[in-house]
Amino acid sequence: MDQKKKKSYLINTAAIALLYLLFFVLIQTKTINNYFVGIMIMTCIMIIMALSLNIVAGFLGQMALGHAGFMAIGAYSSAMATKAIVDAGIEMPSILLLLVALLVGGLVAGIFGILIGTPTLRLRGDYLGIVTIGFAEIIRIFFINFGPTGGAAGLKGISKLVDFNNVFFITVIVAVLIFTFGRSKHGRAIISIREDEIASESAGVPTTIYKVLGFTMAAFFAGLGGALYAHYQAFLEPSKFAFMFSIEMFVIVVLGGLGSLTGSILSAIVLTVLPEMLREFSEYRLLIYSLLLIIMMIFRPQGMLGRSEFSLTDFIDKLIMRKNRKTTSDGGEK
Amino acid sequence: MNLFLQQLINGLNVGSIYALIAIGYTMVYGIIKLINFAHGEIMMFGAYFAFIAATSYNMPVWAIFLTSMIIMAILGVAIEFIAYRPLRNAPRLSALITAIGVSIFLQNLALLIFKADPKVMPKLFPEKIFYLGGIEISSTTLITVGLAIVFMILLDLYIRKTKQGRAMRAVSEDKDAAILMGINVNRTISLTFALGSALGALGGVLYSVAYIQVFPTMGVMPGLKAFIAAVLGGIGIVPGAMLGGFIIGMVETMTKAYISTTWADAIVFAILIIVLLFKPTGILGKNTREKV
Amino acid sequence: MKKRIFSLSLVAMLVLSVFTLAGCSSSSSSDEVIKIGFIGPLSGDAAIYGTSASEGAQLAVDEINEAGGIDGKTIELIAYDSKADQTEAINAYNRLRDQDEVVAVIGGTLSGETLAMKDLMVADNMPVLSPTATAVDVTVDAPNIFRACFLDDYQGKAAANFATNDLGAKTAALLVGTGNPYSEGVSAAFEEVFTANGGTIVGSESYGTTDKDFSAQLTKIKELNPEIVFVPDYVQTVGPILQKAAEMGITATFMGADGWDGIQEEYADAAQDNYFTNHYAADSPSELVQSFITAYQDEYTTVPNSFAALGYDAVYVMTKAITAAGSTEADAIITALTETENQGVTGTLKFDENGDPKDKEVTIIKIDQGQLKFETQVVN
Amino acid sequence: MSVMQAKDITMQFGGLTAVDKFNLTLEPHELVGLIGPNGAGKTTIFNMLTGVYVPTIGTIEIEGQSIIGKKPNEIVKMGASRTFQNIRLFKDLTAIENVKIAYHNFIDYNLAQGMFRTKKFWSEEKKAQDECFKLLEIFDMGEYADTLAKNLPYGQQRKLEIARALATEPKVLMLDEPAAGMNPNETAELMKTIHFIREKFDITVLLIEHDMKLVMGICERIIVVDYGKTIAEGSPAEIKNNPDVIRAYLGD
């Protein structure tokens, strides 16, 4: 059991290191240019957004259609924090400043997660969905009218702290943390609410607390994603965080498979890269995108991976097993 | 006082259009528990067909309305058949994503066909201002509100009094039981889409006449507001949608008039949230307890 | 098994996409072609502005190429859609720079997208000439960024001066689009100058960017009964406002800014006898203007709006600078731009130390029987 | 002291009285049957005892502490745990995960320890795994530990639900028609198991059944309800001969 865990840790760590090394070499040798690096950074941010939304939508099983709102809170609050630090003339290494930004973005968004989650999580399904849309819109309208963050004209002069190196590792860390969260007693309790709320209560799970916890965790990581976004774009506009952006994230999660983290990652990559690939057909790209969406849902309604996770360890095991089987194939199935 | 009455009329005008569109959301939701995100686009296409009918074919006004409503009824049924029916037994969220997909598709189709710049809807009704005890009501407002109310009453009668209407209610109560009673569920669902889409188209035409323009993204905001109206009234309940529509229209106008124009949308959402927190299934919604 | 095929095909798709993207970068840049990028919204709600500007720019490129290009080299204009979205704009810009290796950029078209790209553009030292981004910050602390249009506050001032001096107005109401920096910026300048000129702002109403129902605001304005109602916004918003105001019997004179360009096409009746500030007048006797309009109409059948005119001028200015620089090096082009002076469709364009147009004339247009009539010219 | 005591609990839905002044006292280690025809109000009583419904009037106490107004999960913590008539398992989770969720309150690590997987996390998770596996083995379900609940045979699902209820370490275990849908062999085996766990965990068991014969064999005391009212209470032998019970079951 433990041996297996260790092996799987090792394989995954090695794979991540390899992946990073690959990109590092490609970037250093200028095989891939800044344009591509930019897309990769956006992909990483979208992966964080999708993973965090998956906590509410996938683990908790609630229809949350206002994720862009938490992202906006994280983006704006972190940007204000780093601006204040820079304006105050406090010198600190950029990685430290980025950590401050992440912490502020995550915490502020998390606090709003508690504030919004506590009253609204009594609602279910579509009603919860509409209320989350409502909150996200209120947040957006707030930033449009709020002078200190530049209002509709946008917030300028945010330090650009995010590059591929740090965003890659932050994404890996966030992914791992959300994964371990899902496999802890807290994650299990949240998943049990999705499965059957009444049974979950009757099994002694304090459902209200765990619903709010799930919602807050999602908000926290969304705020983190927002902080990354703010310090990558270096400019924020409230219109970015409109209703359609929340929907876009929700689509990513459902398409990847509700509750499947690896599915969310895969789906975030495909859905961020795909529209860029279609740039040549700019007029038709949303048409193609929406058609693919419909076709995908009709033929695979549970999303790419359903609820299962893609396991590299199992994948490798299977590959090896297959080879072994082939080498001993004269003996038939074993 | 006059100013207040004037604003009340303004609110009634917007509200009646929201109500018409909200009915489509609520009927579809009632019967297949799907938020038909594409309904706003149905409304938009309805407006475009009316625009084409009015500018290219010079049809009389009643024919413009009828053409648009019939075409959209057919389109609504087609959408259900192609995109939603295969997902009838799939997880509800998949159906929701499909609806979002259809919405994006229709929007971009319209963008491709009609281009982004807004078309100006010709005035379909003779321009006249009526004076009613000091307040002014334009003929457009009067006809909009009147048509909306007439169609809502017709729909209500249809659902309550006819055999097909009863079938609709039966399917929305309990699909399996309805099948056992010999009701053709597929046909009933198609009929629901047809009716909902026709009313959505009507709302679209009235909207474009009242606000002059037709453009590919015109369905988004009224669609969202109407959806809110449907939820506010208690989604799945037709009179609830009407009530919700009028309330949203009224709140929006009154907020703009007396509180703040910049915060109007935020206030509409805040009211919705507050109502739902105290009455989680909407104003006319029944509290259903899950059976244990 | 089925599942494996599915996931394998997904992985294959991903890998493929990585290689397509990476592969694109090796596109060759021929010496015979000078590539200039264009960024603006070509789809979505704001598509009309990006499309107009890019059409104007393309027209200029075609004309220049026909006349022999720049020292025998042809210009290629590569236009990308920003969808009026920051992230899209940045991706488009990155792609222009890395994939297409453009030597200069015309764009962005809107202020928001331009500001989003600004830091990158400054860091890259990319010669940028925005035809239409009017927000003040676009050119601040950005020696490589220039613009062809005058600024929001510049035309707001001009409009206020015209209202006081030429129309003799004493009272005005504002109708402002919140969430639209353009509308907010122009009306703020108008308010300041109009008040300084001795006028009174009797009321200030606002609406959101997606609003279509203005009856509540107009009902209030009607009660205030001002001489002037200042509505600096784009045609798609102003048109319905004017129509609704006419329906409600509001008699005040409506005024606006360059966003009104095109109002005469669909809203002629409602806009009758109203005024707006613009970059050029289509009925100007200037030969330059007339030949531009004819050429544009031949190509695109419609009358060019000011976005098209500014896009057209921007390409000419940029071409002049590249020619003068004698190279496609960024620094050379930027230096040349600072010294360029161009007599264009939208007036005389030379840049001040910020890269903004210096003493550009503001044209006041009157809408009369579905025609845009040149009223006067104001220089602040 | 009694483990659980309900006094005059009444439940009204609108104008309808589903349960009328029901009284119940459960002593430690008792095995009590609650029987009655379909629709007699047995499940409603259960729902009140477990906090799913709040009684219109009346008091319910667990070891002298009132549970009125408490949430089901708080009542579980106080020592009353239940199963459902129509099985409510976490269908997409494995058997052992189902049990672990109910074991939740005995796993002691916080959010950060769980996310960063500290030593505490591993040791607590191991403890949970072992304890829950033991529970499954009591029901002979060890081999099914990693099977998704929805893929289990019907009889195993019933047993898993009981195992899950036991994982909360209750003082009172309330079983809502545990043998529903089982064949006679499975039922007999289940009754044996119930008897066994009562002894092993030293708990009180309250059992709903509408089939009278089933409970006769194992219950020490039986309460019969009809139309929301208690019509008889006593030992199996007494109940068997009670004329009211016979009338309720056979009709007039």
Side-chain angles (χ1 to χ4, degrees), chain C residues 133-179:
Chain C
T134 50
V136 177
D137 279 314
V138 168
T139 53
V140 175
D141 293 329
N144 58 321
I145 300 181
F146 301 81
R147 71 175 123 208
C149 55
F150 43 64
L151 278 64
D152 287 341
D153 54 347
Y154 191 79
Q155 59 175 327
K157 279 180 203 162
N161 284 332
F162 173 75
T164 325
N165 302 337
D166 297 46
L167 299 179
K170 291 269 167 263
T171 57
L174 303 174
L175 192 51
V176 188
T178 41

Short mmCIF file of all heavy atoms in Angstrom, two decimals, chain C residues 133-179:
data_model
loop_
_atom_site.label_atom_id
_atom_site.label_comp_id
_atom_site.label_asym_id
_atom_site.label_seq_id
_atom_site.Cartn_x
_atom_site.Cartn_y
_atom_site.Cartn_z
N ALA C 133 -7.57 55.14 -29.92
CA ALA C 133 -7.67 55.01 -28.46
C ALA C 133 -7.54 56.39 -27.82
O ALA C 133 -6.49 57.01 -27.88
CB ALA C 133 -6.58 54.07 -27.94
N THR C 134 -8.61 56.84 -27.19
CA THR C 134 -8.65 58.24 -26.76
C THR C 134 -8.31 58.46 -25.29
O THR C 134 -8.20 59.59 -24.86
CB THR C 134 -10.05 58.84 -27.03
OG1 THR C 134 -11.02 57.95 -26.50
CG2 THR C 134 -10.28 59.05 -28.50
N ALA C 135 -8.18 57.38 -24.48
CA ALA C 135 -7.91 57.57 -23.06
C ALA C 135 -6.55 58.20 -22.84
O ALA C 135 -5.58 57.87 -23.53
CB ALA C 135 -7.99 56.24 -22.32
N VAL C 136 -6.47 59.11 -21.88
CA VAL C 136 -5.26 59.90 -21.66
C VAL C 136 -4.04 59.00 -21.45
O VAL C 136 -2.98 59.21 -22.02
CB VAL C 136 -5.45 60.81 -20.42
CG1 VAL C 136 -4.18 61.58 -20.14
CG2 VAL C 136 -6.61 61.76 -20.67
N ASP C 137 -4.22 57.96 -20.62
CA ASP C 137 -3.08 57.14 -20.20
C ASP C 137 -2.37 56.37 -21.30
O ASP C 137 -1.27 55.88 -21.09
CB ASP C 137 -3.54 56.12 -19.14
CG ASP C 137 -3.61 56.77 -17.78
OD1 ASP C 137 -2.65 57.46 -17.43
OD2 ASP C 137 -4.63 56.58 -17.09
N VAL C 138 -3.00 56.23 -22.44
CA VAL C 138 -2.44 55.39 -23.49
C VAL C 138 -1.01 55.77 -23.83
O VAL C 138 -0.13 54.92 -23.98
CB VAL C 138 -3.34 55.45 -24.75
CG1 VAL C 138 -2.64 54.85 -25.95
CG2 VAL C 138 -4.65 54.75 -24.49
N THR C 139 -0.72 57.07 -23.89
CA THR C 139 0.61 57.49 -24.35
C THR C 139 1.52 57.95 -23.22
O THR C 139 2.68 58.28 -23.46
CB THR C 139 0.47 58.65 -25.35
OG1 THR C 139 -0.34 59.67 -24.75
CG2 THR C 139 -0.17 58.19 -26.63
N VAL C 140 0.99 57.97 -21.99
CA VAL C 140 1.79 58.47 -20.86
C VAL C 140 2.92 57.48 -20.53
O VAL C 140 2.68 56.28 -20.45
CB VAL C 140 0.90 58.68 -19.62
CG1 VAL C 140 1.75 59.09 -18.42
CG2 VAL C 140 -0.14 59.74 -19.91
N ASP C 141 4.12 58.00 -20.36
CA ASP C 141 5.28 57.15 -20.06
C ASP C 141 5.47 56.05 -21.09
O ASP C 141 5.86 54.94 -20.74
CB ASP C 141 5.16 56.51 -18.67
CG ASP C 141 5.23 57.56 -17.57
OD1 ASP C 141 5.91 58.57 -17.80
OD2 ASP C 141 4.60 57.35 -16.51
N ALA C 142 5.15 56.34 -22.31
CA ALA C 142 5.30 55.33 -23.36
C ALA C 142 5.85 56.00 -24.60
O ALA C 142 5.11 56.40 -25.49
CB ALA C 142 3.95 54.68 -23.65
N PRO C 143 7.19 56.16 -24.65
CA PRO C 143 7.79 56.92 -25.76
C PRO C 143 7.55 56.27 -27.13
O PRO C 143 7.68 56.95 -28.14
CB PRO C 143 9.27 56.92 -25.41
CG PRO C 143 9.47 55.88 -24.37
CD PRO C 143 8.17 55.73 -23.66
N ASN C 144 7.20 54.98 -27.13
CA ASN C 144 7.02 54.31 -28.42
C ASN C 144 5.56 54.29 -28.88
O ASN C 144 5.25 53.78 -29.93
CB ASN C 144 7.54 52.87 -28.33
CG ASN C 144 6.83 52.09 -27.24
OD1 ASN C 144 6.53 52.63 -26.18
ND2 ASN C 144 6.51 50.85 -27.53
N ILE C 145 4.64 54.82 -28.04
CA ILE C 145 3.22 54.77 -28.41
C ILE C 145 2.72 56.15 -28.82
O ILE C 145 2.91 57.14 -28.10
CB ILE C 145 2.37 54.20 -27.25
CG1 ILE C 145 2.85 52.79 -26.89
CG2 ILE C 145 0.90 54.16 -27.64
CD1 ILE C 145 2.09 52.13 -25.78
N PHE C 146 2.10 56.19 -29.97
CA PHE C 146 1.54 57.43 -30.51
C PHE C 146 0.07 57.22 -30.81
O PHE C 146 -0.41 56.09 -30.82
CB PHE C 146 2.28 57.82 -31.80
CG PHE C 146 3.74 58.02 -31.61
CD1 PHE C 146 4.61 56.93 -31.57
CD2 PHE C 146 4.27 59.30 -31.45
CE1 PHE C 146 5.98 57.11 -31.38
CE2 PHE C 146 5.63 59.49 -31.27
CZ PHE C 146 6.49 58.39 -31.23
N ARG C 147 -0.62 58.30 -31.06
CA ARG C 147 -2.01 58.12 -31.50
C ARG C 147 -2.41 59.19 -32.50
O ARG C 147 -1.85 60.29 -32.49
CB ARG C 147 -2.96 58.09 -30.32
CG ARG C 147 -3.15 59.42 -29.66
CD ARG C 147 -4.20 59.33 -28.59
NE ARG C 147 -3.66 59.76 -27.31
CZ ARG C 147 -4.11 59.32 -26.14
NH1 ARG C 147 -5.07 58.45 -26.10
NH2 ARG C 147 -3.58 59.78 -25.03
N ALA C 148 -3.39 58.83 -33.32
CA ALA C 148 -3.78 59.72 -34.40
C ALA C 148 -4.99 60.57 -34.03
O ALA C 148 -5.29 61.56 -34.69
CB ALA C 148 -4.09 58.90 -35.66
N CYS C 149 -5.70 60.18 -32.99
CA CYS C 149 -6.94 60.89 -32.64
C CYS C 149 -6.66 61.87 -31.52
O CYS C 149 -5.72 61.70 -30.77
CB CYS C 149 -7.99 59.89 -32.19
SG CYS C 149 -7.38 58.86 -30.86
N PHE C 150 -7.52 62.88 -31.39
CA PHE C 150 -7.38 63.73 -30.20
C PHE C 150 -7.99 63.03 -29.00
O PHE C 150 -8.65 62.02 -29.12
CB PHE C 150 -7.99 65.12 -30.42
CG PHE C 150 -9.32 65.13 -31.12
CD1 PHE C 150 -10.43 64.54 -30.54
CD2 PHE C 150 -9.47 65.74 -32.37
CE1 PHE C 150 -11.64 64.56 -31.16
CE2 PHE C 150 -10.69 65.74 -33.01
CZ PHE C 150 -11.77 65.16 -32.40
N LEU C 151 -7.74 63.61 -27.80
CA LEU C 151 -8.09 62.92 -26.58
C LEU C 151 -9.53 63.21 -26.14
O LEU C 151 -10.16 64.15 -26.61
CB LEU C 151 -7.14 63.32 -25.45
CG LEU C 151 -5.80 62.58 -25.43
CD1 LEU C 151 -4.98 62.87 -26.66
CD2 LEU C 151 -5.04 62.93 -24.17
N ASP C 152 -10.01 62.37 -25.22
CA ASP C 152 -11.37 62.52 -24.71
C ASP C 152 -11.64 63.93 -24.20
O ASP C 152 -12.62 64.57 -24.57
CB ASP C 152 -11.61 61.54 -23.56
CG ASP C 152 -11.74 60.11 -24.04
OD1 ASP C 152 -12.01 59.95 -25.25
OD2 ASP C 152 -11.58 59.19 -23.23
N ASP C 153 -10.73 64.41 -23.33
CA ASP C 153 -11.01 65.71 -22.73
C ASP C 153 -10.88 66.84 -23.74
O ASP C 153 -11.54 67.86 -23.64
CB ASP C 153 -10.11 65.95 -21.51
CG ASP C 153 -8.64 65.78 -21.84
OD1 ASP C 153 -8.34 65.26 -22.93
OD2 ASP C 153 -7.80 66.19 -21.01
N TYR C 154 -10.06 66.60 -24.76
CA TYR C 154 -9.84 67.63 -25.78
C TYR C 154 -11.14 67.95 -26.51
O TYR C 154 -11.53 69.09 -26.67
CB TYR C 154 -8.77 67.12 -26.75
CG TYR C 154 -8.22 68.14 -27.71
CD1 TYR C 154 -7.25 69.06 -27.29
CD2 TYR C 154 -8.63 68.17 -29.03
CE1 TYR C 154 -6.73 69.98 -28.17
CE2 TYR C 154 -8.11 69.10 -29.92
CZ TYR C 154 -7.15 70.00 -29.49
OH TYR C 154 -6.63 70.91 -30.36
N GLN C 155 -11.84 66.89 -26.92
CA GLN C 155 -13.09 67.15 -27.65
C GLN C 155 -14.23 67.53 -26.72
O GLN C 155 -15.16 68.24 -27.12
CB GLN C 155 -13.48 66.00 -28.57
CG GLN C 155 -13.70 64.66 -27.89
CD GLN C 155 -14.20 63.64 -28.89
OE1 GLN C 155 -14.92 63.97 -29.83
NE2 GLN C 155 -13.82 62.38 -28.70
N GLY C 156 -14.15 67.09 -25.46
CA GLY C 156 -15.14 67.53 -24.48
C GLY C 156 -15.08 69.04 -24.30
O GLY C 156 -16.10 69.73 -24.27
N LYS C 157 -13.85 69.54 -24.20
CA LYS C 157 -13.65 70.99 -24.09
C LYS C 157 -14.19 71.71 -25.32
O LYS C 157 -14.90 72.71 -25.22
CB LYS C 157 -12.15 71.29 -23.97
CG LYS C 157 -11.57 71.10 -22.59
CD LYS C 157 -10.08 71.44 -22.63
CE LYS C 157 -9.35 70.74 -21.50
NZ LYS C 157 -7.90 70.68 -21.72
N ALA C 158 -13.84 71.17 -26.49
CA ALA C 158 -14.26 71.80 -27.73
C ALA C 158 -15.78 71.88 -27.80
O ALA C 158 -16.36 72.90 -28.19
CB ALA C 158 -13.71 71.02 -28.93
N ALA C 159 -16.44 70.78 -27.38
CA ALA C 159 -17.90 70.74 -27.43
C ALA C 159 -18.48 71.79 -26.48
O ALA C 159 -19.43 72.50 -26.83
CB ALA C 159 -18.40 69.35 -27.04
N ALA C 160 -17.89 71.92 -25.29
CA ALA C 160 -18.40 72.89 -24.32
C ALA C 160 -18.23 74.31 -24.84
O ALA C 160 -19.14 75.14 -24.74
CB ALA C 160 -17.68 72.71 -22.99
N ASN C 161 -17.07 74.58 -25.42
CA ASN C 161 -16.83 75.92 -25.98
C ASN C 161 -17.82 76.22 -27.09
O ASN C 161 -18.34 77.33 -27.20
CB ASN C 161 -15.40 76.02 -26.50
CG ASN C 161 -14.41 76.18 -25.36
OD1 ASN C 161 -14.76 76.71 -24.30
ND2 ASN C 161 -13.20 75.69 -25.56
N PHE C 162 -18.07 75.24 -27.91
CA PHE C 162 -19.03 75.44 -29.01
C PHE C 162 -20.42 75.72 -28.44
O PHE C 162 -21.13 76.61 -28.92
CB PHE C 162 -19.05 74.20 -29.90
CG PHE C 162 -20.11 74.24 -30.96
CD1 PHE C 162 -19.96 75.06 -32.09
CD2 PHE C 162 -21.27 73.49 -30.84
CE1 PHE C 162 -20.95 75.11 -33.05
CE2 PHE C 162 -22.25 73.53 -31.81
CZ PHE C 162 -22.09 74.35 -32.93
N ALA C 163 -20.80 74.96 -27.40
CA ALA C 163 -22.13 75.15 -26.82
C ALA C 163 -22.29 76.56 -26.25
O ALA C 163 -23.32 77.20 -26.45
CB ALA C 163 -22.36 74.11 -25.71
N THR C 164 -21.26 77.03 -25.56
CA THR C 164 -21.35 78.37 -24.97
C THR C 164 -21.22 79.46 -26.03
O THR C 164 -22.06 80.35 -26.13
CB THR C 164 -20.23 78.58 -23.94
OG1 THR C 164 -19.99 77.35 -23.26
CG2 THR C 164 -20.61 79.64 -22.93
N ASN C 165 -20.17 79.36 -26.84
CA ASN C 165 -19.85 80.46 -27.74
C ASN C 165 -20.74 80.52 -28.97
O ASN C 165 -21.19 81.58 -29.36
CB ASN C 165 -18.38 80.36 -28.19
CG ASN C 165 -17.45 80.38 -26.98
OD1 ASN C 165 -17.82 80.87 -25.91
ND2 ASN C 165 -16.26 79.81 -27.15
N ASP C 166 -21.01 79.38 -29.58
CA ASP C 166 -21.76 79.39 -30.83
C ASP C 166 -23.26 79.22 -30.62
O ASP C 166 -24.06 79.79 -31.34
CB ASP C 166 -21.25 78.31 -31.79
CG ASP C 166 -19.80 78.55 -32.18
OD1 ASP C 166 -18.99 78.84 -31.27
OD2 ASP C 166 -19.47 78.45 -33.38
N LEU C 167 -23.63 78.39 -29.65
CA LEU C 167 -25.05 78.15 -29.44
C LEU C 167 -25.63 79.05 -28.34
O LEU C 167 -26.84 79.13 -28.18
CB LEU C 167 -25.31 76.68 -29.07
CG LEU C 167 -24.91 75.63 -30.11
CD1 LEU C 167 -25.20 74.23 -29.59
CD2 LEU C 167 -25.63 75.86 -31.43
N GLY C 168 -24.75 79.66 -27.58
CA GLY C 168 -25.20 80.56 -26.52
C GLY C 168 -25.98 79.88 -25.42
O GLY C 168 -26.86 80.48 -24.80
N ALA C 169 -25.65 78.62 -25.16
CA ALA C 169 -26.42 77.87 -24.16
C ALA C 169 -25.98 78.22 -22.74
O ALA C 169 -24.81 78.48 -22.48
CB ALA C 169 -26.23 76.38 -24.40
N LYS C 170 -26.95 78.23 -21.83
CA LYS C 170 -26.65 78.54 -20.43
C LYS C 170 -26.87 77.31 -19.55
O LYS C 170 -26.26 77.19 -18.48
CB LYS C 170 -27.57 79.67 -19.93
CG LYS C 170 -27.27 81.01 -20.56
CD LYS C 170 -26.26 81.79 -19.72
CE LYS C 170 -25.72 82.98 -20.49
NZ LYS C 170 -24.41 82.67 -21.14
N THR C 171 -27.78 76.43 -19.95
CA THR C 171 -28.05 75.24 -19.14
C THR C 171 -27.82 73.98 -19.96
O THR C 171 -28.10 73.95 -21.16
CB THR C 171 -29.51 75.22 -18.64
OG1 THR C 171 -30.37 75.29 -19.77
CG2 THR C 171 -29.78 76.38 -17.69
N ALA C 172 -27.32 72.97 -19.29
CA ALA C 172 -27.10 71.69 -19.98
C ALA C 172 -27.31 70.55 -19.00
O ALA C 172 -27.12 70.71 -17.79
CB ALA C 172 -25.69 71.63 -20.55
N ALA C 173 -27.73 69.41 -19.55
CA ALA C 173 -27.81 68.18 -18.75
C ALA C 173 -26.87 67.16 -19.36
O ALA C 173 -26.62 67.19 -20.57
CB ALA C 173 -29.23 67.64 -18.72
N LEU C 174 -26.33 66.30 -18.53
CA LEU C 174 -25.44 65.26 -19.03
C LEU C 174 -26.13 63.91 -18.97
O LEU C 174 -26.88 63.63 -18.03
CB LEU C 174 -24.16 65.20 -18.18
CG LEU C 174 -23.34 66.47 -18.03
CD1 LEU C 174 -22.21 66.24 -17.04
CD2 LEU C 174 -22.78 66.88 -19.38
N LEU C 175 -25.87 63.10 -19.96
CA LEU C 175 -26.35 61.72 -19.94
C LEU C 175 -25.12 60.85 -20.23
O LEU C 175 -24.60 60.86 -21.34
CB LEU C 175 -27.45 61.51 -20.98
CG LEU C 175 -28.24 60.22 -20.93
CD1 LEU C 175 -28.78 59.95 -19.54
CD2 LEU C 175 -29.39 60.26 -21.91
N VAL C 176 -24.66 60.17 -19.21
CA VAL C 176 -23.34 59.54 -19.26
C VAL C 176 -23.44 58.02 -19.16
O VAL C 176 -24.22 57.51 -18.36
CB VAL C 176 -22.45 60.05 -18.10
CG1 VAL C 176 -21.02 59.56 -18.28
CG2 VAL C 176 -22.50 61.55 -18.00
N GLY C 177 -22.64 57.35 -19.94
CA GLY C 177 -22.57 55.89 -19.82
C GLY C 177 -21.54 55.51 -18.78
O GLY C 177 -20.34 55.62 -19.02
N THR C 178 -21.99 55.05 -17.62
CA THR C 178 -21.00 54.61 -16.64
C THR C 178 -20.50 53.24 -17.07
O THR C 178 -21.23 52.46 -17.67
CB THR C 178 -21.59 54.46 -15.23
OG1 THR C 178 -22.87 53.87 -15.34
CG2 THR C 178 -21.69 55.78 -14.53
N GLY C 179 -19.29 52.97 -16.75
CA GLY C 179 -18.69 51.74 -17.22
C GLY C 179 -18.13 51.94 -18.61
O GLY C 179 -17.65 51.02 -19.24
#
